[in-house]
Amino acid sequence: MAAAVRTSVWLDGKTARSRKADQPAGGLDREKITDATVRLLDSEGLAKFSMRRLAAALGVTAMSVYWYVDTKDDLLELALDQVMGELDLPDESVDAWRDEIRHLAVSYRKVLVGHPWISPLVGEFLNVGPHATAFSAAVLNVMTRTGLPPHGQAGGIASVFQFVYGFGTVEGHFRDRCARAGMTQDEYFRHAMSAVSRNADTKANIERSRAMMEARGGETVEDMRDRDFEFALELLIAGIEAMREHTS
Amino acid sequence: MAAAVRTSVWLDGKTARSRKADQPAGGLDREKITDATVRLLDSEGLAKFSMRRLAAALGVTAMSVYWYVDTKDDLLELALDQVMGELDLPDESVDAWRDEIRHLAVSYRKVLVGHPWISPLVGEFLNVGPHATAFSAAVLNVMTRTGLPPHGQAGGIASVFQFVYGFGTVEGHFRDRCARAGMTQDEYFRHAMSAVSRNADTKANIERSRAMMEARGGETVEDMRDRDFEFALELLIAGIEAMREHTS
DNA sequence: ACCTGAACACCGTTCAAGT
DNA sequence: ACCTGAACACCGTTCAAGT
């Protein structure tokens, strides 16, 4: 019975149909379908994506896609791993673990913000496609070189990359929301702030956080977020350094 | 035009219809609807929740709910803030910021894992309901007492609570997935591990991470995760301590 | 004031049929 | 081998109508 549980396209999905070499192009294949899926998800978002819209974009009937893919979820897993391929993995170096962590974190943030639809998918699927696997390997590799004790390395990975996941998710959603409302991030931010200030419950909070915002500085929403991200990342690296001696 | 942008039920949604005091109960109201929504989301998950199922659970026609709520999204915001009320906010104490952070982080994790459907909603909505606001206030408050320089306090908040968000999201989804497959977490974990080991791409990674897993110890999936969470949290606190002297 | 029913424009997926 | 068409069991939401 355990064998009947579906885990992931990558583990028990059907493999890609190999295109006949002599085929005059024109026809579908898994790659074309995945490309079109990513394009649609980037432009319209996860909520508006459907098998029927995808089929229309491919100039084909709704059911054709099912020849290449078992379910919508399998297709989303394929799209997810495709954009995970945009992650820029550092060359292995012997000693520069701090720079490698910064590099991986910055790159992961960029992918999350550039393709906000992946956030729920990262949470939902096992995320074991080839690109996700390469990323995991790079993360694992750098963590073994930090000097953290072995029993803390998984926790170290979690602290850095779950932080980036959370940060990138919220950032990506906010950008998306602004774009959908037809406003810049700064316009939307001002609009929300003034709505919040008019509300009795939230008003006090805003006033308390204003001091914090002013201390942080930054002209735009984007500036503020960059500063927060950078500070948090240095905090995490300092945390790793502090925990290196720590046993049990 | 900016005024036409919908931000949140809490800011520009219609307010709750006040129930007539003399009404013989039996009738609907916003509270009953929100309670039923949370119950359904807990038992069936976000994907299966629908206005029609909710109406059926309330013994009422699909459209009745729309008398109390503008859209499904508004209802989800109400449900989200309701479970945010389960967060256990610490009493303000003068000096014990470390314990307060631990307390808030543990409580937030618990809510995320107990109601996995909130993760996408936290990302999607502004999250400015009364309970979410109280939580933000508590977080803000404790961060000002860490000794972090003002320009780093927003980054400090992000590092801790985006980490918890990411961690709790993945943990909650995994538990959900196991329950839906009718397996315990340990059964599902073994199943996925063996599937991953059979796959050429992911096999090498597994072997590399096995050493890390053994060092960490722990009998069950849940044990392992608790250890990782605790280590990561101490790492974050150590990071805050290290950044206290840090200016710009 | 509160609730219903029919309707519109959608979904993912199955299944039998075409070429 | 690949693609289509019709059908099933769903969605959120509008709108006019009932009590």
Side-chain angles (χ1 to χ4, degrees):
Chain A
M1 41 143 60
V5 175
R6 183 64 176 266
T7 53
S8 161
V9 225
W10 303 107
L11 301 177
D12 33 43
K14 65 178 155 202
T15 48
R17 308 258 174 187
S18 56
R19 184 173 26 177
K20 294 283 174 296
D22 50 355
Q23 204 165 298
L28 287 185
D29 61 49
R30 208 180 248 212
E31 210 187 313
K32 271 182 199 155
I33 290 172
T34 309
D35 286 350
T37 300
V38 170
R39 237 179 354 255
L40 267 181
L41 287 165
D42 280 342
S43 63
E44 314 226 40
L46 186 58
K48 290 201 165 160
F49 176 79
S50 78
M51 297 300 270
R52 288 166 139 105
R53 283 164 96 99
L54 171 64
L58 289 164
V60 104
T61 218
M63 290 312 302
S64 321
V65 178
Y66 283 92
W67 182 257
Y68 301 91
V69 128
D70 278 339
T71 63
K72 188 189 182 187
D73 274 1
D74 279 10
L75 185 53
L76 292 176
E77 270 196 276
L78 294 172
L80 169 59
D81 201 66
Q82 167 138 319
V83 303
M84 291 298 242
E86 291 173 18
L87 287 164
D88 185 33
L89 306 184
D91 312 317
E92 279 190 37
S93 54
V94 194
D95 209 33
W97 63 266
R98 289 170 193 77
D99 278 343
E100 275 190 41
I101 286 181
R102 289 187 190 104
H103 192 97
L104 286 165
V106 166
S107 182
Y108 189 30
R109 176 189 176 203
K110 200 170 178 181
V111 170
L112 283 161
V113 172
H115 309 282
W117 49 272
I118 69 171
S119 289
L121 306 183
V122 168
E124 195 175 330
F125 299 121
L126 286 182
N127 214 358
V128 289
H131 290 123
T133 300
F135 180 61
S136 298
V139 166
L140 227 80
N141 181 289
V142 71
M143 209 43 82
T144 59
R145 288 182 285 116
T146 54
L148 273 187
H151 77 269
Q153 289 175 10
I157 289 172
S159 66
V160 176
F161 293 94
Q162 304 292 33
F163 153 71
V164 178
Y165 172 71
F167 194 97
T169 295
V170 171
E171 183 180 5
H173 266 296
F174 187 75
R175 289 183 59 150
D176 227 33
R177 186 180 251 269
C178 298
R180 248 170 261 292
M183 299 167 97
T184 67
Q185 289 188 80
D186 297 302
E187 282 163 0
Y188 194 97
F189 183 74
R190 269 196 301 275
H191 173 64
M193 281 294 261
S194 84
V196 167
S197 302
R198 262 179 273 117
N199 182 291
D201 287 326
T202 47
K203 200 179 167 188
N205 251 25
I206 287 301
E207 269 148 33
R208 282 221 272 167
S209 64
R210 208 180 294 276
M212 195 182 284
M213 287 176 44
E214 269 156 25
R216 177 182 46 189
E219 294 299 300
T220 65
V221 170
E222 213 124 15
D223 281 347
M224 290 177 352
R225 256 202 296 258
D226 286 348
R227 284 175 203 220
D228 291 346
F229 186 82
E230 276 155 33
F231 190 91
L233 194 50
E234 294 314 307
L235 188 156
L236 281 154
I237 288 171
I240 292 171
E241 271 161 5
M243 297 296 276
R244 283 192 293 180
E245 316 295 281
H246 201 270
T247 44
S248 185
Chain B
M1 38 143 62
V5 175
R6 182 64 175 266
T7 53
S8 161
V9 227
W10 304 106
L11 301 177
D12 33 45
K14 63 179 156 200
T15 49
R17 307 258 173 187
S18 56
R19 185 173 24 176
K20 293 285 174 294
D22 51 357
Q23 202 166 299
L28 286 185
D29 62 47
R30 206 179 250 211
E31 211 186 313
K32 271 183 199 153
I33 290 172
T34 309
D35 287 350
T37 301
V38 169
R39 241 181 350 257
L40 267 181
L41 287 166
D42 281 342
S43 62
E44 313 226 39
L46 186 58
K48 289 200 165 159
F49 175 80
S50 78
M51 296 302 270
R52 286 166 140 106
R53 283 164 95 99
L54 170 65
L58 288 165
V60 104
T61 219
M63 290 312 302
S64 321
V65 179
Y66 284 92
W67 182 258
Y68 301 92
V69 129
D70 279 338
T71 63
K72 187 188 182 189
D73 274 2
D74 279 10
L75 185 53
L76 292 175
E77 271 196 275
L78 293 172
L80 169 60
D81 201 66
Q82 167 139 318
V83 302
M84 290 299 242
E86 292 173 17
L87 287 164
D88 184 33
L89 306 185
D91 312 317
E92 278 192 37
S93 55
V94 195
D95 209 32
W97 62 266
R98 289 170 193 77
D99 279 342
E100 275 191 43
I101 287 182
R102 289 188 190 103
H103 192 97
L104 286 165
V106 166
S107 181
Y108 189 28
R109 176 188 175 204
K110 199 170 179 182
V111 171
L112 284 161
V113 172
H115 309 282
W117 49 272
I118 70 171
S119 290
L121 305 183
V122 168
E124 194 174 331
F125 300 122
L126 285 181
N127 212 358
V128 289
H131 291 123
T133 300
F135 180 61
S136 299
V139 166
L140 226 80
N141 181 287
V142 71
M143 210 41 84
T144 59
R145 288 181 285 116
T146 55
L148 273 188
H151 78 270
Q153 290 176 9
I157 290 172
S159 67
V160 176
F161 293 94
Q162 304 291 32
F163 153 70
V164 178
Y165 172 71
F167 195 96
T169 295
V170 171
E171 182 180 6
H173 267 296
F174 187 75
R175 289 184 59 150
D176 226 33
R177 186 180 249 270
C178 298
R180 249 170 260 292
M183 300 167 99
T184 67
Q185 289 188 79
D186 297 302
E187 282 164 359
Y188 194 97
F189 184 73
R190 270 197 300 276
H191 173 67
M193 281 295 261
S194 84
V196 166
S197 302
R198 262 180 272 114
N199 183 291
D201 287 327
T202 47
K203 200 178 166 187
N205 252 26
I206 288 301
E207 270 148 32
R208 282 222 271 168
S209 64
R210 207 179 295 275
M212 195 182 284
M213 286 176 43
E214 271 156 23
R216 176 181 45 187
E219 294 299 300
T220 65
V221 170
E222 213 125 14
D223 281 350
M224 290 180 348
R225 255 202 299 257
D226 285 347
R227 285 175 201 222
D228 291 347
F229 186 82
E230 276 155 34
F231 189 91
L233 194 51
E234 294 315 308
L235 188 157
L236 281 154
I237 288 171
I240 292 172
E241 270 162 6
M243 297 295 277
R244 283 193 292 181
E245 316 294 281
H246 200 270
T247 43
S248 186

